Amino acid sequence: MGSRVLITADAVGGVWQYATDLACALAPLGFQPTVAVLGPEPNVAQRAPVEAAGIPILETGLPLDWLCDGPVPVREAGEALATLVREQGFDLVHCNMPTLAASGAFGVPLVAVAHGCLATWWDAANGTKLPPDYRWQRTLTEQGFRAADRVVAPTAAFAAVIQRTYGLTDLPLAVHNGRRPLVEGEGAPADCVFTAGRLWDQVKQTRLLDRVAARLPVPFHAAGALVGPHGEQVPADHLQPLGLLSEAELAEWLVQRPIFVSAARFEPFGLAVLEAAAAGCPLVLADLPTFRELWDGAAVFVAPQDEDGFVAAIEAIRADPARRGALGEAAQARAARYTPAAVARDMAAVYRDLLEPAATLTRSAAA
């Protein structure tokens, strides 16, 4: 029997895809993963591939930290999760919400993965210090990182940001995220532009993309929510909003290989970019350290605030079919590096590094 690993997840954002893809890829490597859901329950479509792979889904009923208005329910959630780990005999916890680790009470090796955090997002979004009302989240996040046996980030660029922001002695380990391709085969390239993500999030720069859309002679489609969980809202006067798309609906758009654009000025990884690249879409991306790390040589880069630059880059690709095809092929070839199997291989090495010393100590104590 393999080691039992509890992987925390939420069904609201991209962490669900990361956690469930990882769980499915870990099972063949000799681990027994379970996905522990915090926040709202996953829907039928989200459950289906996980259950088909025989991965248990554990609905905890515990809250998400970013939907809480103070530290008490988050600390209580961490303690409840630690109790669950002890009672059900898990060997290791992979925590995708580092605030849950703040208590340090898990009693088994714990890996904290920094997919993003309020402090680094706030700095990118506003360039000011975190307001007092939110500082408890920064405190719990730092405590979680310090309590973890290993801290992991999805890119080396974001690992450096995390180390600097929280004053960590050790640089977090970079393990690139992965995603299975959503598209099989390819259709004729559609003369349109596409973006996807949390459109309401100000760091995604939907307002800039809306201005870009006004200057293009072709449709600029945008998949994702325009209204955020706390009432955040962004208008789309020129973008053509598609709302939240299912995986199958997203695949129907990506198979057309539209020009994919991300003007985000903060992105720890960017699963939407990877999904588009894996489908063979040419990429036009904001010139961020994370995007450079992942896509340098396989995308066109534009300064994040350069509206003219995005328009020019899109129009240049539209005007040159050969270049458009080459960019799509380059993006697809690069995307082949970032798979759930690759993530599972690297994370399995992290797990084993932590579990083998623990097993040695257990055997020594028994002797």
Side-chain angles (χ1 to χ4, degrees):
M1 299 291 286
S3 298
R4 300 188 66 212
V5 178
L6 186 70
I7 303 174
T8 68
D10 69 77
V12 179
V15 170
W16 178 260
Q17 295 297 342
Y18 167 87
T20 55
D21 282 352
L22 172 61
C24 293
L26 278 171
L29 301 182
F31 292 90
Q32 297 182 64
T34 294
V35 176
V37 184
L38 292 92
E41 297 178 1
N43 60 36
V44 173
Q46 288 174 311
R47 288 173 170 278
V50 190
E51 294 175 340
I55 306 298
I57 297 175
L58 183 61
E59 293 174 13
T60 67
L62 299 172
L64 296 175
D65 56 359
W66 53 277
L67 294 179
C68 294
D69 57 7
V72 173
V74 182
R75 288 190 180 279
E76 291 176 346
E79 292 166 0
L81 196 66
T83 299
L84 183 151
V85 167
R86 290 192 298 271
E87 290 178 348
Q88 298 203 15
F90 287 98
D91 301 302
L92 181 142
V93 176
H94 175 127
C95 191
N96 290 307
M97 202 164 86
T99 51
L100 293 173
S103 67
F106 282 82
V108 297
L110 188 143
V111 179
V113 181
H115 296 282
C117 71
L118 180 61
T120 56
W121 175 89
W122 186 274
D123 182 60
N126 302 289
T128 60
K129 290 185 177 180
L130 202 61
D133 288 351
Y134 298 134
R135 289 178 189 166
W136 64 267
Q137 291 198 31
R138 187 194 186 286
T139 298
L140 288 188
T141 300
E142 180 177 346
Q143 291 173 351
F145 286 147
R146 296 188 184 281
D149 296 284
R150 193 79 80 248
V151 178
V152 174
T155 51
F158 190 55
V161 172
I162 289 293
Q163 183 184 38
R164 181 173 65 251
T165 300
Y166 293 97
L168 303 181
T169 302
D170 296 325
L171 180 68
L173 176 67
V175 175
H176 291 148
N177 287 351
R179 187 79 172 97
R180 58 179 176 80
L182 302 185
V183 171
E184 294 182 5
E186 56 187 36
D191 192 12
C192 64
V193 186
F194 191 84
T195 193
R198 298 186 306 273
L199 302 177
W200 55 266
D201 187 340
Q202 67 190 79
V203 300
K204 305 299 184 185
Q205 298 211 106
T206 303
R207 292 177 186 275
L208 181 146
L209 294 181
D210 195 55
R211 295 194 300 271
V212 169
R215 298 171 59 181
L216 297 175
V218 295
F220 193 152
H221 304 283
L226 289 167
V227 179
H230 299 293
E232 307 94 335
Q233 190 167 358
V234 62
D237 297 323
H238 305 285
L239 289 167
Q240 297 192 11
L242 302 173
L244 291 170
L245 300 182
S246 69
E247 189 173 288
E249 291 169 333
L250 178 59
E252 290 177 0
W253 281 97
L254 295 181
V255 75
Q256 302 175 58
R257 291 179 290 159
I259 298 170
F260 184 90
V261 180
S262 173
R265 61 179 188 267
F266 172 76
E267 191 66 85
F269 182 86
L271 281 176
V273 179
L274 175 54
E275 290 170 341
C281 300
L283 304 177
V284 178
L285 305 177
D287 197 351
L288 304 179
T290 47
F291 283 160
R292 280 283 181 181
E293 177 182 334
L294 297 166
W295 304 106
D296 199 15
V300 174
F301 293 95
V302 179
Q305 307 287 358
D306 187 358
E307 178 185 325
D308 291 342
F310 279 103
V311 173
I314 293 166
E315 289 290 58
I317 294 171
R318 289 186 60 244
D320 189 342
R323 183 172 181 237
R324 176 175 180 158
L327 283 168
E329 290 174 3
Q332 195 167 44
R334 183 65 57 81
R337 300 180 183 180
Y338 311 129
T339 64
V343 181
R345 180 194 65 227
D346 291 345
M347 292 307 302
V350 174
Y351 299 166
R352 292 188 182 109
D353 185 51
L354 296 173
L355 288 166
E356 288 171 3
T360 301
L361 286 172
T362 300
R363 288 194 296 270
S364 299

